[in-house]
Amino acid sequence: MGTPNKNENKAGFFASMTSGFSMFSSAMHRSVNGLLGYEGVEVINPEGGKEDAEEEAQRGRWRDEERDSYWKMMQKYIGSDITSMVTLPVLIFEPMTMLQKMAELMEYSHLLDQADECEDPYMRLVYASSWAISVYFAYQRTLKPFNPILGETYEMVNHRGITFISEQVSHHPPMSAGHAENEHFTYDVTSKLKTKFLGNSVDVYPVGRTRVTLKRDGVVLDLVPPPTKVNNLIFGRTWVDSPGEMVMTNLTTGDKVVLYFQPCGWFGANRYEVDGYVYNADEEPKILMTGKWSESLSYQPCDSEGEPLPGTELKEVWHVAETPPNDKFQYTYFAHKLNSFDTAPKKLLASDSRLRPDRWALEKGDLSKAGAEKSSLEERQRAEKRNREAKGHNFMPKWFDMTEEVTTTPWGELEIYRYNGKYTEHRNAVDNSDAIVIDDVQSIEFDPWQFGDLSEE
């Protein structure tokens, strides 16, 4: 399995296998540290392949000189929350913001339509939880989305009758709010990510609240996703895992679904796998669910012991859509649409993520311009904050209102923002006007700092 001839003087990484997994981990650390000279850095091969630690550590996006420089810069942040850091190099970014990433949940929104139309309360949860799982195919991308500028927005229309709006409502801590709606459901989220940097990896805790209301019966669903771990940030091939439980609860009836994301084990065992059950309000299993969040999910009725009912079979409920081959950013076709003006409404807001010059430059492959524009935007944001504080003004979001409600999540408390309905009024007014669809990004200057009266836009 190893390469003994090549590494005969380095004690062979995989030779430690015969001594057990504790020595396996120890040998990996010694091997990497001996080669690179860094302490406490773990390099993981997500494929569980045949390379030893030295070979795996040489993989990744960084050249040696970049990696060394970046490691020296990042060491001081070990153990810290790095959500608000603005010094990250543009090389590790994808041409999308967190506000757009929130909209990726809408790719398979037809599953929520089916949940709304479904009369079986347990199948309703099968459809709705499959919708929640489906976005993890997009979350496996290893490039980082841009942190939105305070006041930045993202709008989406022309997809299954959905109107979507998200807004960056706080800068410290970074918080976003989103609202989506069509004839079948409303979707509301307040999101505040919490991170912990561990050297060569980062843990991401979704301190947020997601609520879906199915319109036919007024059923309210609450979603608690699992944490995510990004491995091999600096050394080795970067990859993402989300071990833990996802819980979706029907707040109206007490039914719930609990799905367990299997952690990636040694040699890639169990990677992507998801298993769990739909339970009634008495916590009795009714439907089992199984699959891979990277491919598909299936379901099957079960007995009170969780065993499949005789005469039933697994049926597929969700399958990942076809994706572009060899895509530079590993985007789906839908993700590309989110960056395009095909999903933009009439008279796009000047604060929209599509218009960010750093995002636009990165999408076009101009890293130098993207980096310069990113720095410029961040400095403008700091200047705007100084100006606001000098005048004694507080930032007020346009489309969401901060409530007095504070909810408890597994990873901390969260202040809740509520959609105020003003965007619907604004969009109806624009759609009934003679405005034209914006199709030229150069025709609008990105401006999240303009807080004028909507009637004057």
Side-chain angles (χ1 to χ4, degrees), residues 248-272:
M248 177 175 277
T249 304
N250 184 330
L251 298 179
T252 307
T253 65
D255 303 331
K256 65 180 178 180
V257 55
V258 181
L259 297 174
Y260 183 66
F261 287 57
Q262 301 285 347
C264 179
W266 295 109
F267 308 113
N270 303 322
R271 192 178 182 199
Y272 309 119

Side-chain angles (χ1 to χ4, degrees), residues 402-423:
M402 186 176 182
T403 70
E404 296 182 355
E405 182 180 1
V406 177
T407 189
T408 300
T409 78
W411 304 283
E413 293 189 333
L414 175 74
E415 305 82 3
I416 301 300
Y417 283 79
R418 180 181 61 240
Y419 175 64
N420 59 26
K422 293 179 180 178
Y423 179 76

Side-chain angles (χ1 to χ4, degrees), residues 96 100 103-108 154 156 159 322 324 331-340 343:
M96 182 180 286
Q100 293 172 276
E104 284 198 80
L105 262 170
M106 296 296 112
E107 177 162 9
Y108 300 95
Y154 179 74
M156 184 192 74
H159 176 69
E322 183 180 355
Y331 279 1
T332 64
Y333 288 107
F334 181 72
H336 281 291
K337 287 179 65 177
L338 292 179
N339 266 343
S340 77
T343 53

Side-chain angles (χ1 to χ4, degrees), residues 52-70:
D52 61 18
E54 291 94 340
E55 293 174 358
E56 187 65 24
Q58 296 301 326
R59 296 178 178 270
R61 61 172 67 99
W62 302 97
R63 294 192 296 268
D64 288 345
E65 61 273 18
E66 293 173 333
R67 181 174 56 195
D68 293 349
S69 174
Y70 191 53

Side-chain angles (χ1 to χ4, degrees), residues 4 28 33 49 72 79 93 121 126 141 150 159 197 231 239 252 268 296 321 331 338 369 373 388 393 400 403 452:
M28 177 168 64
N33 295 337
K72 290 176 182 177
F93 284 78
V126 169
R141 298 196 303 264
L150 183 63
H159 176 69
F197 180 59
N231 301 280
W239 61 284
T252 307
S296 65
Y331 279 1
L338 292 179
K369 181 176 177 60
E373 294 287 4
R388 190 172 63 246
H393 294 169
F400 298 86
T403 70

Side-chain angles (χ1 to χ4, degrees), residues 339-341 348-350 352-364 366 369 373 437-447:
N339 266 343
S340 77
F341 288 89
L348 185 66
L349 295 172
D352 194 89
S353 296
R354 296 175 184 84
L355 305 175
R356 282 184 62 144
D358 51 357
R359 189 214 63 78
W360 177 255
L362 183 59
E363 185 178 13
K364 296 303 179 184
D366 191 340
K369 181 176 177 60
E373 294 287 4
V437 175
I438 302 298
D439 58 3
D440 179 8
V441 71
Q442 302 299 329
S443 65
I444 313 176
E445 181 180 355
F446 176 66
D447 188 4

